Amino acid sequence: MTHGNHPPAEPKWNLVGPGLVVAATGVGAADLIATTVAGSKYGYALLWAVVAGCIMKVILVEGAGRYTLATGNTIFEGWSSLGRWTHWYFGPYIVIWGFVYGAAAMAGTGLALYSLLPFGSVAAWGIVSGLLGLALVWSGRYDLFEKVLTAMVILMFITMLLAAMLTLPNLAEIAAGLVPVIPEGAMINVLSVAGGVGGTITLAAYGYWLREKGWTTPRFMRVMRLDNGIAYLVTGIFVISTLIVGAELLYSAQIAIGSGDQGMVDLAGVLADRYGAWMGKLFLVGFWAASMSSLVGVWNGVSLMFADFFGHVQGKPHDHPDRLSGGRYYKFYIVWLTIPPMVMLFLGQPVYLILAYGVLGALFMPFMAITLLWILNTARTPAEWRNGLVVNIMMGLCALTFAALAVDQLRGAIMRVL
């Protein structure tokens, strides 16, 4: 209730939304696989890396959100202020990334659906998923999109939490896993678990989702931070549950699972053998929800980023309809994510395209961490909203971590081609 001329009360936690959207979009099948494999190889030894990954993402997403609320600018306008070189990196990246990711997202959701409903083919179910994603986000209505994503988050959260509880985890070992230790030969697993908790390019979409939600001024700073913190707490519990499943089901019994999305299907089989067919099916529903939430989130969020980028490069004003949700460029990019990549579902992935995707993608997280440090410590951000010492140290650590991961990803991408 408001009195006199006081401004209306701040929105409270029941309005939390964009954070959950960015977290749900960021945690896809690849992250589940990386975490499950880490659990199956090292038990709980890398649990601390999951927690570190969540903290890193909270810091980066909060930085992107703080810049957006403090200035009213989009993250791309912030990057653009650093020089045209950001256009030359981001333009090719968002175009190539969209094409390759579109195929991967449809293949992942297709595999989950085909495992649940084994008729047709993985490619056919993937195409159905892509078209469903297109239909859901085409109008650009954020409220509908947020409700769909929230339902998927609840679904994936409940299934993974139930799977973790069924394995009767060893609480003493879980507590021991919070002590930072890097087992021999596990450095890459550490980086992929920490780096994989909740997204790459989708982290930068957070500011756009704040705008869609109507959170556009510094008055929303507190609720944005609460929103972001709760989202990554939920993500952390979810990813820790995944690690528990890997550690208890696979590590203890020395069961190996396939790489890529197939690993999730293998894991559903292990759960079905241990706890009954119902648990296997329920887990596959959770796997589908994780894959589909990433697909739908990208179809909306990265399309918003593309519309802003393309409109900005063309010199259109900040609030021009073409640069906004539901505009021409937004719809063009949704089609780009959905239709051309369908060819890759049948023909496989062209090797040089995958190399370009790997190289540009590996550089994105260091790019984001370093540019945020730059933007949030200079006159581009109002003085009261610039980084403090602690945030600068944390962002610097993020930049170093993601740079190390980038070097490994670059090496991996080049090795696959050679």
Side-chain angles (χ1 to χ4, degrees), residues 220-392:
F220 292 93
M221 205 66 80
R222 274 180 57 200
V223 77
M224 178 274 289
R225 286 170 168 158
L226 179 67
D227 171 59
N228 183 26
I230 289 173
Y232 276 96
L233 179 65
V234 170
T235 304
I237 294 168
F238 177 72
V239 181
I240 288 167
S241 300
T242 317
L243 190 85
I244 288 170
V245 171
E248 295 293 341
L249 270 186
L250 306 175
Y251 178 68
S252 54
Q254 292 300 297
I255 298 169
I257 57 171
S259 62
D261 294 332
Q262 186 58 43
M264 286 284 104
V265 179
D266 295 346
L267 187 53
V270 175
L271 282 162
D273 290 344
R274 185 77 62 94
Y275 303 111
W278 68 275
M279 188 61 224
K281 289 280 186 222
L282 189 64
F283 182 79
L284 285 171
V285 169
F287 166 42
W288 170 79
S291 301
M292 191 68 188
S293 64
S294 293
L295 184 151
V296 174
V298 165
W299 264 228
N300 176 272
V302 184
S303 299
L304 289 170
M305 292 181 73
F306 177 81
D308 183 48
F309 154 73
F310 200 65
H312 180 78
V313 168
Q314 289 196 313
K316 300 202 174 192
H318 174 82
D319 54 359
H320 192 284
D322 285 351
R323 285 180 66 174
L324 301 175
S325 180
R328 281 192 307 165
Y329 303 152
Y330 168 83
K331 287 180 172 174
F332 166 81
Y333 194 77
I334 296 171
V335 172
W336 175 250
L337 281 167
T338 312
I339 307 301
M342 288 177 182
V343 176
M344 284 168 71
L345 294 176
F346 300 99
L347 299 181
Q349 302 186 335
V351 71
Y352 288 106
L353 194 64
I354 299 305
L355 176 64
Y357 172 79
V359 169
L360 290 164
L363 295 173
F364 184 77
M365 290 305 285
F367 169 79
M368 183 161 173
I370 291 162
T371 52
L372 277 175
L373 271 168
W374 193 346
I375 290 165
L376 292 168
N377 280 296
T378 58
R380 292 169 179 83
T381 304
E384 67 175 303
W385 300 114
R386 286 180 206 159
N387 282 359
L389 177 64
V390 174
V391 174
N392 273 330

Side-chain angles (χ1 to χ4, degrees), residues 1-136:
M1 197 173 151
T2 57
H3 298 280
N5 295 321
H6 289 297
E10 272 193 60
K12 291 292 184 279
W13 68 268
N14 62 331
L15 291 178
V16 163
L20 210 54
V21 168
V22 79
T25 304
V27 178
D31 302 310
L32 302 189
I33 290 291
T35 314
T36 308
V37 167
S40 69
K41 276 188 179 176
Y42 303 107
Y44 292 110
L46 302 188
L47 184 59
W48 64 273
V50 172
V51 176
C54 280
I55 292 168
M56 285 195 292
K57 297 297 167 60
V58 165
I59 288 159
L60 292 179
V61 172
E62 188 276 338
R66 175 158 42 98
Y67 172 74
T68 302
L69 294 182
T71 64
N73 294 332
T74 64
I75 188 76
F76 184 74
E77 287 168 334
W79 287 335
S80 196
S81 73
L82 302 175
R84 290 187 70 83
W85 65 272
T86 56
H87 301 190
W88 291 110
Y89 166 68
F90 189 71
Y93 173 55
I94 198 169
V95 171
I96 293 169
W97 185 91
F99 186 73
V100 179
Y101 180 84
M106 287 190 280
T109 45
L111 181 64
L113 279 174
Y114 181 70
S115 305
L116 277 166
L117 305 163
F119 55 88
S121 66
V122 171
W125 282 117
I127 288 168
V128 168
S129 304
L131 293 172
L132 185 60
L134 180 145
L136 271 170

